[in-house]
Amino acid sequence: MYFKIGDKYHGFRLIDEKNVREVNSKVMLFQHEKSGARLFCMENEDDNKVFSITFRTPPKDSTGLPHILEHSVLCGSRKFPVKEPFIELMKGSLNTFLNAFTFGDKTMYPVASRNDKDFENLMDVYLDSVFYPNIYKYPEILKQEGWHYELEEASDELKYKGVVYNEMKGALSSPESVLMRKLQETLLPDTPYGYESGGDPEMIPNLTQKEFLAFHKKYYHPSNSYLFLYGNMDILGRLKFIDGAYLKDFEAISVDSAIPVQKAFDSMRSYEIEYPISFQEDEKDKAYLSLNYAVGLSTEPELYQAMDMLLHILLLNSASPLKKALVGAGLGKEVFGKYDSGILQPVLSIIVKNSDAERKEEFIKVVLETLKKLVRDGLDSRLVEAVVNLKEFEMREADFEPYPKGLIYSMKIMDSWLYDKDPVMHLSYEYIFEKIRGSIKDRYFENLIEKYILNNSHSSILVLKPKKGLLEAKDEETKTKLKNIKAHLTNEQLKELIEQTKELRKWQNTPDTSDKLTLIPMLSIKDIDKTGEVLPQRVKEEAGVKVLAHHMFTNEIVYVNLLFDTTAVPQELLPYIPLLSGILGKVSTENYSFEELSKEIDMYTGGIKFSVQVYGEQNDESIYHPVFSIKGRVLAGKLQRMLELISEIIGKSGFDDVKRIKEIIQESKSKAETKISNDGYAIACKRLLSYFSAEGSYMETITGLTYYRLIADIEKNFEDRIEEIKRNLEKLIGLIFRKDGLVVGVTCEEDDYKSFINCMDLVFKELSSKNLPAVKYSFRTESLNEGLMTQETVQYVAQGYNFIKLGYPYTGKLQVLKTISRYNYLWNRIRVQGGAYGALSGFEKNGNMFMVSYRDPNLKETLKVYDEMHDYLRNFQIDEREMTKYIIGTISRLDLPLTPFAKGERIIENYIRKITTEDLQKEREEILSTSQADMKALADMMFELMKRQSYCVLGNEMKIKENKELFGSLVEVFA
Ligand SMILES: [Zn+2]
């Protein structure tokens, strides 16, 4: 189809059109004249199509209105009057992405699918939701998603409840996320960015239904919207649909939603915020210090790229001078930075973690003096070049796994389009790289440092300080507030609240009628492929080593994965394997200092990563394959250089630089702590699996709490333990880097395979040819039912067991059960009624099974929900259409499109786990043929699984102590 600038297509006038080579797309900008909507289109070969609609939604307080509205418009609409169309789509569409996001200045609704019909269905539901939501009809929606008073009996305590209320309590309970959310507030206090768009739990109860509706009326109009289409599709057909079904019914209006620019400060402003720690914890070394700068506008494309590079140069490479200076001064254990360019005035932050509030001035001084010195003496040009190369590699690769490419581009274009500038601005980057490269020697980055940091008074210093008992105090405050409110209520009003609580519960518990549910469009089983995609697997033998080669278009990138068998490592050394993975590549080798090594890696490759992995076999949790994995990505022309670097690292790393090792360990410990606060559900789940599975125990030892404990202890007793650590690391090198048991995965274009084989010997020559027997590990598996206590305000409640041990085989039908439990049973009971952010379940091929709640305000109530699941299954009633929906949703999860890198990883995984194409096909057929009776038949299995009473909870200390009779032992996580 040929489009002409100036012509009108279904109400859309084409304003601009061009080819953007860097993203392989023809891009077009349209204006819908009647409604005032804008539409940007990226037409290309990608079959993973993306649509999104975004509204400019600047908040005017911290009640979280934009965020609550984002949740609420997905709770039913004119054409789709069911309670949660979003969930219906999650259950039963072929979406490859479906979500919604609230940012500081915009709210975005993206969908993606590879199936044309499905794609149109998703667009239809999303457009109807944003323009015609049921929020006007049902005040229950704001109550459920935002906040409400809960009172079941007059004698009960009055409580606040609500999905977003709880979500934000959880989100703001980790210090890192508090910090990240506050950075922009400190620099842009007089703009919408000065508010918490997600909602501050203390402010959320100020939101009224009236303001809520007025906000929707004002901002959710086509004239304030930004539509986006991406991929291989019939553009004209899409325009016709959007116009005919929606936009033609709106008249353009003028919406005042422009984002104002914050006036620059005259001098640096200082802020201090507290975050909670427990009474047992030490306040020492627990502060975060952050120095922040407002740097120009996000609509300056060169600056936008250059600042991202500058952050990397200063802080993110092991050779980064500012990072070295800060670590060297002992100011903190972890140093990092952030460049937030998704707002009108981007913010550059320099952050140290595990510091002390009193060292604020010293921190500022070290930063400024280091930067002054760098400006005076010049930056290391090799480091600068390396970072520019790495950034270029990342842009070329555009691997945003697990997100669709189009989704990431849709966000990127908003960084200019939302502020009334050209949406293409940040998509074409080659000319910028060329320009920056040409100016490096003319003090390009030194000038940036001078202008945007040293001479920039629009800056802030933010100190995030630990405070004992803060959580308890805040809780008490809310309780008192609610007590006061209750005390002032008349008997009449109390009755009314009780009535309202009941009404809301009733409304939540009333299922949608099936005639309403049928309004949600869906595919039929015959639209689903009977056979799954077969991934090309070729197992070859090269120089005595197994090589899994996968040839596909990779844009000239070669992905290499070296998987070393670690079964020769004695049990007591297991937690040292992840330690080794954290140290390799970061310490000096015979021929390179660690700084040089780090520069070489960025200069020539897209990254070399070391990690530990465990692959469980099917049907038996006691058989598993632990590996040490080295993953590298590189342009084909630089392959040899990458393999040289890998061989240098595995063959010639030294562990004598004790100071360096200490720095790495401090940083690893700090990162592990962040992981525990961010992924509490994963820690709880791993711990749970270790109660009944050997594979789970191994996994827990190397990536769970056990590993964290080791690293915390090493950090604490470093001087006493360093000799032993060095010895152990040396030992591991000999036990792991052997040719025996090595599996190599390589994903590349056909022509590049030969050159890979030709230089493989570079790595092989460093490997020992010793054959060592596999160690037999023995783990004590028993249900410890621990309560893992932290200062979070929420819980992660995990329960499960192994069904194969109980005599139930694995079947694809369990994947359908997973979909059903996630979007029906667990969703209703744990999220909708319980107020948790969500809950997941897993049924693995080796029989391991778990359910885990996410950011859950409850504890024993959630365990009860798990215990009662068998009842739900026994009474499982569902019509044909609903069942089909769950089957489609299950298949869509299995068929998610993979990037070349991810395909390679999947092939390796299947090979090591001995999963064949036939196994996968059998699983698929089991899924496709699932019936209501199959689900009922799983009730007994679920009953027996839960009867084992194997559970683990990570979360709020007080809450766990209140329920201490439930636990085998109580464990302080950060002791
Ligand atoms: Zn949310």
Side-chain angles (χ1 to χ4, degrees):
M1 169 77 201
Y2 176 71
F3 289 88
K4 207 166 139 228
I5 294 179
D7 280 4
K8 203 161 141 182
Y9 305 87
H10 301 291
F12 288 92
R13 191 163 310 276
L14 182 61
I15 310 286
D16 198 7
E17 181 217 51
K18 62 181 99 161
N19 283 309
V20 183
R21 190 161 38 102
E22 292 95 325
V23 289
N24 274 320
S25 305
K26 180 167 106 175
V27 305
M28 290 176 278
L29 179 64
F30 294 93
Q31 176 85 29
H32 189 265
E33 294 192 330
K34 184 161 184 292
S35 70
R38 314 154 187 84
L39 185 143
F40 183 72
C41 174
M42 293 176 75
E43 192 182 16
N44 55 46
E45 292 299 303
D46 195 344
D47 75 340
N48 199 4
K49 295 170 273 290
V50 175
F51 162 77
S52 75
I53 180 163
T54 302
F55 299 94
R56 203 152 65 181
T57 51
K60 57 173 194 356
D61 55 35
S62 294
T63 57
L65 208 171
H67 182 196
I68 296 169
L69 188 56
E70 171 223 306
H71 279 239
S72 301
V73 302
L74 297 172
C75 291
S77 63
R78 174 193 65 170
K79 275 162 73 179
F80 311 110
V82 300
K83 280 196 294 213
E84 293 182 289
F86 175 73
I87 295 313
E88 297 309 314
L89 295 173
M90 288 303 269
K91 283 178 196 169
S93 74
L94 285 181
N95 77 81
T96 55
F97 187 84
L98 186 69
N99 212 331
F101 302 109
T102 304
F103 298 89
D105 53 14
K106 60 184 173 283
T107 312
M108 188 172 197
Y109 297 87
V111 299
S113 179
R114 298 166 89 178
N115 177 296
D116 276 300
K117 182 81 197 82
D118 189 56
F119 186 61
E120 185 158 316
N121 291 345
L122 295 168
M123 282 174 67
D124 197 13
V125 175
Y126 260 38
L127 284 166
D128 204 62
S129 299
V130 296
F131 290 128
Y132 303 102
N134 272 346
I135 54 174
Y136 294 89
K137 259 195 189 154
Y138 301 112
E140 286 90 346
I141 294 178
L142 171 61
K143 288 189 172 139
Q144 171 179 294
E145 298 299 323
W147 75 278
H148 64 272
Y149 290 119
E150 192 170 81
L151 189 67
E152 289 186 47
E153 281 174 59
S155 56
D156 285 357
E157 252 177 81
L158 188 63
K159 281 183 188 148
Y160 288 132
K161 278 270 164 79
V163 175
V164 169
Y165 179 80
N166 270 317
E167 181 191 335
M168 292 313 293
K169 257 178 98 172
L172 295 175
S173 75
S174 104
E176 204 117 331
S177 77
V178 172
L179 179 73
M180 290 307 171
R181 284 176 171 271
K182 294 286 172 193
L183 296 180
Q184 41 176 279
E185 288 181 30
T186 66
L187 285 177
L188 310 166
D190 308 321
T191 74
Y193 304 115
Y195 301 112
E196 171 55 72
S197 61
D200 176 341
E202 283 171 47
M203 307 299 277
I204 289 174
N206 293 338
L207 177 61
T208 65
Q209 170 82 357
K210 197 172 151 221
E211 287 169 303
F212 182 61
L213 298 182
F215 194 90
H216 178 265
K217 222 173 237 137
K218 178 170 179 189
Y219 294 116
Y220 280 50
H221 186 283
S223 299
N224 190 42
S225 76
Y226 301 78
L227 293 122
F228 174 81
L229 286 169
Y230 167 96
N232 184 357
M233 67 178 81
D234 163 24
I235 303 284
L236 208 56
R238 301 297 169 204
L239 297 184
K240 186 176 173 198
F241 169 72
I242 297 172
D243 170 63
Y246 294 95
L247 299 184
K248 71 166 179 15
D249 300 324
F250 291 86
E251 298 294 333
I253 57 168
S254 111
V255 181
D256 172 23
S257 63
I259 313 294
V261 173
Q262 169 73 45
K263 208 172 141 265
F265 301 167
D266 294 330
S267 60
M268 184 184 290
R269 294 196 187 171
S270 185
Y271 299 82
E272 205 175 278
I273 305 174
E274 292 172 332
Y275 77 90
I277 56 166
S278 77
F279 286 106
Q280 284 85 348
E281 274 178 280
D282 195 348
E283 278 161 358
K284 201 175 139 22
D285 292 346
K286 286 218 169 62
Y288 291 74
L289 308 175
S290 175
L291 199 47
N292 318 293
Y293 295 89
V295 281
L297 297 174
S298 67
T299 48
E300 299 173 68
E302 190 182 316
L303 185 64
Y304 179 97
Q305 288 291 351
M307 272 297 157
D308 184 44
M309 294 175 191
L310 181 63
L311 173 78
H312 203 108
I313 294 168
L314 293 177
L315 292 168
L316 305 183
N317 186 290
S318 295
S320 290
L322 185 54
K323 176 177 181 151
K324 279 173 58 187
L326 289 165
V327 173
L331 271 157
K333 291 178 187 163
E334 192 183 345
V335 174
F336 55 103
K338 190 185 173 197
Y339 171 58
D340 181 1
S341 55
I343 53 180
L344 177 59
Q345 290 170 276
V347 171
L348 179 79
S349 302
I350 299 158
I351 302 164
V352 297
K353 196 182 149 182
N354 296 112
S355 191
D356 274 305
E358 294 71 44
R359 304 186 70 183
K360 179 177 95 174
E361 295 304 328
E362 194 188 344
F363 166 61
I364 300 175
K365 197 171 150 221
V366 172
V367 171
L368 298 183
E369 279 179 0
T370 307
L371 294 178
K372 271 182 208 153
K373 187 167 174 298
L374 288 171
V375 169
R376 197 178 60 226
D377 304 345
L379 287 158
D380 172 353
S381 62
R382 197 150 172 88
L383 170 64
V384 173
E385 201 189 324
V387 169
V388 175
N389 281 2
L390 176 70
K391 290 288 161 187
E392 197 174 24
F393 180 95
E394 286 172 356
M395 296 289 252
R396 176 193 184 109
E397 184 186 33
D399 180 340
F400 308 112
E401 185 75 24
Y403 303 109
K405 252 184 204 185
L407 173 73
I408 303 300
Y409 291 138
S410 78
M411 293 186 176
K412 208 168 222 179
I413 61 163
M414 293 318 300
D415 292 353
S416 54
W417 202 20
L418 195 78
Y419 315 115
D420 307 313
K421 293 289 185 316
D422 185 3
V424 180
M425 184 179 280
H426 301 309
L427 294 180
S428 57
Y429 57 86
E430 280 179 6
Y431 79 99
I432 295 175
F433 274 77
E434 210 169 299
K435 178 152 182 244
I436 292 178
R437 229 183 224 119
S439 324
I440 292 176
K441 53 181 186 323
D442 303 325
R443 300 175 48 80
Y444 186 85
F445 288 102
E446 289 82 351
N447 290 342
L448 285 185
I449 296 174
E450 207 160 17
K451 178 168 177 193
Y452 291 101
I453 305 182
L454 294 175
N455 297 334
N456 183 0
S457 58
H458 193 174
S459 62
S460 69
I461 168 87
L462 173 63
V463 178
L464 191 64
K465 233 172 113 169
K467 187 167 165 71
K468 287 183 187 186
L470 184 65
L471 203 57
E472 291 81 353
K474 276 201 170 168
D475 237 47
E476 213 38 59
E477 212 175 285
T478 311
K479 272 192 182 154
T480 314
K481 188 177 155 194
L482 284 161
K483 236 181 226 154
N484 259 323
I485 293 172
K486 196 180 165 203
H488 287 88
L489 294 175
T490 62
N491 277 344
E492 264 324 289
Q493 287 170 316
L494 281 176
K495 253 191 211 148
E496 205 184 308
L497 276 188
I498 294 168
E499 201 46 42
Q500 279 176 13
T501 304
K502 267 196 203 128
E503 285 293 315
L504 181 63
R505 181 119 342 140
K506 197 173 137 207
W507 182 77
Q508 290 174 333
N509 287 343
T510 313
D512 291 312
T513 57
S514 66
D515 46 315
K516 276 187 183 168
L517 283 170
T518 40
L519 294 171
I520 302 276
M522 76 180 243
L523 304 175
S524 65
I525 281 286
K526 62 178 192 305
D527 295 317
I528 309 292
D529 287 331
K530 292 270 171 301
T531 48
E533 183 186 355
V534 176
L535 295 173
Q537 182 184 87
R538 278 187 268 175
V539 188
K540 302 181 182 185
E541 184 98 8
E542 307 275 1
V545 169
K546 285 233 159 35
V547 178
L548 300 175
H550 345 298
H551 301 315
M552 58 189 88
F553 174 76
T554 59
N555 211 0
E556 287 169 50
I557 293 169
V558 180
Y559 298 94
V560 178
N561 190 351
L562 306 169
L563 302 114
F564 295 94
D565 171 48
T566 59
T567 53
V569 177
Q571 184 148 1
E572 67 275 14
L573 290 189
L574 292 183
Y576 290 86
I577 308 178
L579 187 65
L580 178 70
S581 79
I583 285 177
L584 284 185
K586 296 201 183 89
V587 289
S588 303
T589 62
E590 265 172 50
N591 298 307
Y592 298 91
S593 69
F594 73 87
E595 293 99 332
E596 284 168 74
L597 188 63
S598 179
K599 282 185 270 181
E600 291 296 296
I601 292 172
D602 282 0
M603 179 78 82
Y604 295 104
T605 79
I608 300 175
K609 301 249 151 53
F610 304 84
S611 62
V612 285
Q613 254 150 335
V614 184
Y615 297 101
E617 277 197 21
Q618 311 181 76
N619 306 324
D620 188 344
E621 51 73 37
S622 67
I623 308 175
Y624 54 90
H625 305 278
V627 299
F628 187 98
S629 153
I630 303 179
K631 289 175 202 170
R633 46 184 82 198
V634 67
L635 280 174
K638 296 174 182 170
L639 181 60
Q640 181 173 344
R641 190 74 194 105
M642 181 173 84
L643 294 176
E644 280 165 9
L645 290 169
I646 290 178
S647 100
E648 175 80 18
I649 293 169
I650 59 184
K652 302 190 168 66
S653 285
F655 304 113
D656 287 328
D657 186 348
V658 172
K659 187 170 150 276
R660 178 65 187 154
I661 291 186
K662 187 170 183 183
E663 286 169 7
I664 297 170
I665 285 174
Q666 287 180 337
E667 188 177 349
S668 307
K669 182 195 167 223
S670 168
K671 284 191 171 151
E673 277 167 3
T674 308
K675 222 172 142 57
I676 294 174
S677 344
N678 292 345
D679 298 336
Y681 76 98
I683 296 291
C685 224
K686 280 175 188 168
R687 200 76 181 168
L688 167 74
L689 296 181
S690 78
Y691 294 166
F692 50 78
S693 153
E695 185 236 3
S697 297
Y698 191 100
M699 191 69 152
E700 206 284 329
T701 307
I702 58 168
T703 63
L705 203 55
T706 304
Y707 169 64
Y708 170 72
R709 289 253 170 87
L710 172 84
I711 198 149
D713 186 67
I714 291 179
E715 199 241 5
K716 207 164 148 196
N717 305 303
F718 187 79
E719 273 68 35
D720 298 337
R721 295 194 62 175
I722 179 63
E723 286 310 316
E724 163 215 344
I725 292 161
K726 274 162 57 181
R727 264 199 320 275
N728 287 342
L729 292 175
E730 293 288 358
K731 229 187 263 172
L732 285 183
I733 295 267
L735 293 170
I736 295 175
F737 298 123
R738 297 177 297 125
K739 229 170 145 180
D740 182 38
L742 170 64
V743 174
V744 176
V746 53
T747 305
C748 62
E749 292 176 33
E750 185 111 43
D751 293 346
D752 297 323
Y753 181 70
K754 241 199 145 61
S755 42
F756 171 71
I757 293 306
N758 288 339
C759 43
M760 249 180 41
D761 207 44
L762 286 169
V763 175
F764 290 172
K765 71 175 170 34
E766 290 301 335
L767 305 179
S768 129
S769 49
K770 251 193 232 153
N771 290 346
L772 300 172
V775 175
K776 233 179 137 28
Y777 302 118
S778 72
F779 294 99
R780 203 172 64 144
T781 47
E782 61 176 312
S783 293
L784 299 172
N785 294 10
E786 293 155 301
L788 310 175
M789 303 183 295
T790 68
Q791 276 300 287
E792 295 190 62
T793 49
V794 287
Q795 280 71 247
Y796 303 92
V797 181
Q799 183 171 351
Y801 197 70
N802 186 290
F803 53 83
I804 290 178
K805 281 187 173 178
L806 297 174
Y808 297 90
Y810 178 80
T811 146
K813 302 188 189 303
L814 292 168
Q815 294 309 321
V816 184
L817 175 59
K818 175 176 164 152
T819 311
I820 292 177
S821 64
R822 173 154 192 198
Y823 295 117
N824 188 320
Y825 182 70
L826 297 179
W827 184 273
N828 288 333
R829 297 280 308 264
I830 292 180
R831 177 172 162 119
V832 178
Q833 293 169 24
Y837 190 64
L840 300 168
S841 66
F843 298 86
E844 295 169 6
K845 289 190 169 70
N846 65 5
N848 284 349
M849 179 272 161
F850 63 87
M851 293 189 268
V852 61
S853 63
Y854 190 79
R855 290 196 200 145
D856 189 348
N858 300 315
L859 199 166
K860 63 171 186 296
E861 296 81 355
T862 299
L863 290 170
K864 189 160 173 260
V865 171
Y866 298 152
D867 282 343
E868 288 171 2
M869 185 156 162
H870 70 97
D871 264 340
Y872 162 82
L873 288 175
R874 234 175 276 286
N875 302 314
F876 192 68
Q877 284 289 344
I878 196 171
D879 62 26
E880 184 85 28
R881 188 177 189 275
E882 273 291 286
M883 197 67 223
T884 304
K885 197 188 279 180
Y886 287 120
I887 291 172
I888 293 173
T890 306
I891 291 287
S892 109
R893 194 174 67 234
L894 254 56
D895 285 358
L896 277 182
L898 303 172
T899 60
F901 167 74
K903 267 187 195 165
E905 293 295 296
R906 178 69 59 82
I907 290 167
I908 291 167
E909 183 189 334
N910 287 344
Y911 174 78
I912 299 182
R913 299 177 67 195
K914 304 199 176 98
I915 295 172
T916 63
T917 307
E918 290 71 42
D919 292 331
L920 295 171
Q921 184 57 30
K922 178 168 171 274
E923 180 186 46
R924 192 179 187 87
E925 282 159 16
E926 286 163 351
I927 293 169
L928 287 171
S929 66
T930 303
S931 67
Q932 172 179 307
D934 290 328
M935 289 301 111
K936 279 180 182 279
L938 291 170
D940 286 342
M941 180 191 89
M942 195 52 77
F943 174 74
E944 287 192 50
L945 283 166
M946 294 302 113
K947 206 176 83 184
R948 306 300 296 221
Q949 287 295 301
S950 219
Y951 51 80
C952 176
V953 177
L954 182 141
N956 183 262
E957 181 174 0
M958 292 180 284
K959 187 89 179 178
I960 287 178
K961 283 183 173 160
E962 274 167 34
N963 291 284
K964 65 174 184 297
E965 72 285 354
L966 290 175
F967 297 104
S969 62
L970 301 190
V971 179
E972 195 78 52
V973 173
F974 302 112

